[in-house]
Amino acid sequence: MESKAIRRIGVLTSGGDAPGMNAVIRAVVRTASANNISVLGVRRGYSGLINGDIIEMAARSVDGIIRKGGTMLYTARCPEMMTEEGLQKAADTCKYLGIDGLICCGGDGTFRGAQALSRKGVPCIGVPGTIDNDIVCSDYTIGFDTACNTAVECIDRLRDTMQSHERCSVVEVMGRRAGHLALNVGCAVGATATLLPEREIDFETDVIEKMRMGRIKGRNHHIVIVAEGYGSAQSVADRIHESTGVDTRVTILGHIQRGGSPTSQDRIMATRMGYAAVRALMDGKTNRVIVLEDHRITDLDIEEGLSRKKDLNQDLFEAQQAVAI
Ligand code: F6P
């Protein structure tokens, strides 16, 4: 069956913002414009659909945003989308505005919304945008590289002062229930220990003993990374202090990890994925998520992205453990 020609699409960003979301919006708007498809920007995620918070976009309205952090369309988490009433309102807005397809950039909550809307007959394509890199079917999510680099830059600064005072810095890194960001950051800063929700550790052997051995071998300060999904950084610091007597300081990097100009990797990935999302709609696809798989951009059923939990990169985990001595 011949698919319906796409004349107008919508684009939204939803959930926690991620550096590179603007670059996705730019790629979507420019790809659509080049194919004579008009674009409506839906502001504040799905609540913009429910409340009709919509702007018209054109190739020139996205000039200069590729280098900007945040999202020009704003973002929000929208519990109303989980109700039948909210979902129906969102679908009705799409119908009323003549939206032939919707591109939704965000994480798993965003994809759940896209899946539900697809089932209501609105063709939806998800683009993975989250600093957590926790979408199982995609090797990469937009924003991860920038967040990783931001955290590394901050922790390198912490190391200077920890070294001067011979302290241990316990740093909480974002990631919600996932430890991908913490693992990569821990590796890149040369942490003594990295505590992750996905891997059980023996605190005495893997943290305390390592620190004691480090001391004997002349290491006078430490960085310990705690993924936010692992537990409280303060309790980790207290435990270290009680067991070793080392002076500890806690830093929660928090939302600073979500800001800043996207790295070239995030700009490029956003451009490739935003382009692919429009192409997917033009090909008549729906309920798909754009993913990076073995260095290739492709698309998969959204269900695949939501059904399982993404495991940590085991090679990276082992390498990081091996060198943290
Ligand atoms: O999903 C992205 C993320 O930054 C998580 O790492 C973090 O747990 C959460 O969002 C924070 O959410 P909020 O911005 O609502 O505080």
Side-chain angles (χ1 to χ4, degrees):
M1 194 177 75
E2 185 97 338
S3 54
K4 182 180 163 227
I6 298 282
R7 293 206 180 81
R8 169 175 282 183
I9 62 171
V11 58
L12 61 81
T13 50
S14 157
D17 64 351
M21 279 184 163
N22 274 324
V24 172
I25 297 167
R26 174 181 177 271
V28 166
V29 172
R30 295 271 175 91
T31 307
S33 296
N35 289 282
N36 298 315
I37 297 168
S38 67
V39 184
L40 296 177
V42 180
R43 303 203 304 174
R44 302 181 175 84
Y46 292 110
S47 23
L49 269 190
I50 293 171
N51 303 316
D53 190 358
I54 312 283
I55 54 169
E56 284 193 23
M57 304 193 79
R60 294 280 71 79
S61 60
V62 291
D63 283 354
I65 65 168
I66 195 168
R67 65 188 167 79
K68 292 197 175 151
T71 158
M72 68 167 287
L73 289 175
Y74 307 100
T75 183
R77 303 190 200 278
C78 179
E80 224 187 319
M81 257 312 259
M82 306 216 275
T83 66
E84 177 53 34
E85 200 192 341
L87 182 59
Q88 192 55 53
K89 273 193 202 163
D92 289 347
T93 306
C94 291
K95 204 168 167 201
Y96 174 73
L97 293 172
I99 291 177
D100 300 315
L102 187 67
I103 294 170
C104 310
C105 180
D108 50 5
T110 306
F111 296 161
R112 266 189 203 99
Q115 189 179 41
L117 266 181
S118 297
R119 288 184 182 140
K120 287 261 174 211
V122 181
C124 286
I125 306 291
V127 174
T130 163
I131 64 164
D132 301 341
N133 202 18
D134 59 348
I135 302 297
V136 71
C137 57
S138 185
D139 297 341
Y140 190 76
T141 63
I142 294 155
F144 179 71
D145 187 58
T146 309
C148 205
N149 282 306
T150 303
V152 167
E153 193 188 324
C154 294
I155 296 166
D156 283 350
R157 285 168 196 245
L158 281 174
R159 191 182 276 285
D160 292 342
T161 168
M162 292 302 127
Q163 190 267 331
S164 310
H165 288 265
E166 303 184 81
R167 284 172 172 160
C168 171
S169 187
V170 179
V171 187
E172 184 187 294
V173 169
M174 269 190 174
R176 205 181 289 271
R177 286 175 296 274
H180 307 285
L181 188 59
L183 173 60
N184 281 261
V185 169
C187 178
V189 299
T192 302
T194 304
L195 309 182
L196 307 160
E198 295 88 345
R199 295 287 183 276
E200 257 188 52
I201 55 147
D202 179 337
F203 201 85
E204 193 52 39
T205 315
D206 297 327
V207 183
I208 304 299
E209 203 46 41
K210 255 188 189 176
M211 287 180 65
R212 285 203 189 107
M213 291 307 290
R215 277 248 138 154
I216 292 166
K217 291 178 187 159
R219 174 171 279 209
N220 78 337
H221 71 284
H222 296 275
I223 303 283
V224 172
I225 303 295
V226 181
E228 71 167 324
Y230 174 84
S232 150
Q234 188 60 56
S235 332
V236 169
D238 292 345
R239 211 166 153 187
I240 289 173
H241 180 65
E242 278 157 25
S243 303
T244 63
V246 173
D247 198 12
T248 56
R249 288 291 183 275
V250 173
T251 303
I252 296 174
L253 291 180
H255 290 81
I256 200 152
Q257 296 160 101
R258 290 230 301 255
S261 179
T263 58
S264 57
Q265 175 168 337
D266 279 324
R267 297 179 197 197
I268 293 164
M269 202 57 77
T271 302
R272 293 173 73 193
M273 288 184 166
Y275 166 79
V278 178
R279 299 295 317 182
L281 283 177
M282 290 169 69
D283 289 344
K285 295 183 181 176
T286 181
N287 197 31
R288 309 290 286 177
V289 55
I290 305 297
V291 299
L292 182 74
E293 198 179 57
D294 295 333
H295 305 285
R296 277 180 52 247
I297 302 286
T298 180
D299 56 83
L300 296 172
D301 192 288
I302 287 183
E303 192 57 41
E304 286 188 53
L306 296 174
S307 53
R308 285 170 291 130
K309 200 166 179 281
K310 185 179 193 174
D311 197 13
L312 288 181
N313 179 331
Q314 182 61 19
D315 292 346
L316 176 58
F317 178 72
E318 284 171 17
Q320 195 265 339
Q321 287 283 99
V323 301
I325 48 173

